[in-house]
């Protein structure tokens, strides 16, 4: 699949404004700073489509991007970062939960984990949430450029074991080294074909 167009559409902070039209959506979730916005820019080939930052908590809203005029990428706020204490956490929990449960044409969720770190309590909660609600997802391991090739394989094995998930649902990526784009695009294409059947 080729990405011809990628356009920023709208940002949403309240669940009543969530987009629920006929177009399928693909969501990117994960803790703050894991690389969601960078991955969206890498996959679409648009350097500054989604705003990135080395300071955690950059993406605070749900951002919708229209791709090829036929589906959407959705950049969700990162979790696990709280500047203002509990309230901020509560806001994302509410909005994130609403998004994941209320979006009808949610084709797939990409849950991002840093390949170097053991999943946090919140990552595990997110995985449990996805499994419990029977939502389709893959785990994207980000920042693979930080590990040597041999260590990447070990990390995938370890993650699968720790999380008790099949190895097949893990996809290794690096936005910096441009790794994993074709696999992701093939998967998205396949999901879109299934949706249109
Ligand atoms: N080494 C390396 N750094 C990366 C990679 N992807 C993202 N980063 C860096 O990680 C930091 C966070 O990236 P973002 O894409 O803004 O992360 P995010 O998940 O969108 O963060 P929030 O919006 O805060 O939830 C930035 O400094 C990026 O440059 C990668 O593949 N390799
Ligand atoms: Mg972001």
């Amino acid at each position: 699949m080729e990405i011809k167009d990628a356009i920023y559409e709208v940002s949403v902070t309240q669940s009543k404004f969530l987009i629920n039209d006929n177009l399928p959506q693909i969501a990117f979730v994960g803790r703050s700073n894991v690389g969601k916005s960078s991955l969206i820019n890498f996959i679409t080939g648009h350097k500054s489509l989604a705003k990135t930052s080395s300071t955690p908590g950059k993406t605070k809203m749900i951002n919708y991007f229209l791709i090829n005029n036929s589906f959407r990428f959705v950049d969700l706020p990162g979790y696990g970062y709280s500047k203002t204490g509990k309230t901020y956490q509560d806001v994302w929990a509410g909005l994130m939960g609403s998004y994941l449960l209320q979006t009808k044409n949610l084709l797939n969720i990409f849950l991002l984990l840093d390949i170097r770190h053991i999943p946090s309590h919140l990552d595990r909660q997110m995985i449990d949430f996805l499994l419990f609600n029977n939502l389709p997802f893959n785990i994207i391991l980000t920042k693979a450029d930080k590990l040597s090739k041999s260590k990447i394989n070990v990390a995938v094995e370890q993650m699968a074991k720790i999380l008790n998930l099949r190895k097949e649902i893990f996809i290794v990526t690096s936005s910096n080294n441009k790794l994993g784009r074709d696999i992701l695009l093939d998967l998205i294409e396949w999901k879109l074909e299934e949706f249109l059947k």
Side-chain angles (χ1 to χ4, degrees), residues 49-192:
L49 186 68
K51 291 197 182 80
T52 64
S53 167
S54 53
T55 316
K58 179 69 187 171
T59 310
K60 294 195 177 68
M61 297 175 274
I62 292 185
N63 301 307
Y64 292 90
F65 302 94
L66 182 62
I67 313 293
N68 291 354
N69 228 357
S70 55
F71 65 97
R72 289 192 176 90
F73 277 169
V74 186
D75 191 9
L76 294 173
Y79 51 76
Y81 166 75
S82 167
K83 209 173 185 179
T84 49
K86 242 191 171 165
T87 12
Y88 179 53
Q89 294 282 353
D90 290 346
V91 171
W92 80 246
L95 191 60
M96 174 96 70
S98 303
Y99 174 83
L100 293 171
L101 295 177
Q102 289 172 23
T103 303
K104 288 185 200 82
N105 293 332
L106 185 51
L107 216 54
N108 204 40
I109 295 147
F110 289 126
L111 169 58
L112 279 65
L113 300 175
D114 189 316
I115 196 162
R116 300 165 296 172
H117 303 313
I118 290 181
S120 70
H121 182 59
L122 287 167
D123 291 324
R124 286 166 183 268
Q125 273 185 8
M126 179 55 77
I127 292 168
D128 287 345
F129 179 89
L130 297 174
L131 290 169
F132 180 79
N133 291 293
N134 225 354
L135 292 163
F137 70 97
N138 288 87
I139 305 238
I140 309 261
L141 299 176
T142 64
K143 309 193 186 184
D145 53 282
K146 297 276 190 184
L147 294 184
S148 66
K149 262 199 182 145
S150 56
K151 286 202 174 142
I152 288 176
N153 292 331
V154 175
V156 175
E157 301 263 349
Q158 274 179 346
M159 285 280 191
K161 213 170 169 187
I162 291 171
L163 296 170
N164 197 22
L165 294 169
R166 290 178 301 118
K167 252 175 33 182
E168 290 69 39
I169 72 159
F170 290 82
I171 299 169
V172 175
T173 66
S174 163
S175 300
N176 280 26
N177 279 5
K178 311 212 177 306
L179 177 74
R181 185 172 186 263
D182 291 347
I183 296 172
L184 280 173
L185 286 177
D186 285 351
L187 178 66
I188 292 166
E189 185 174 18
W190 177 72
K191 291 264 175 187
L192 287 167

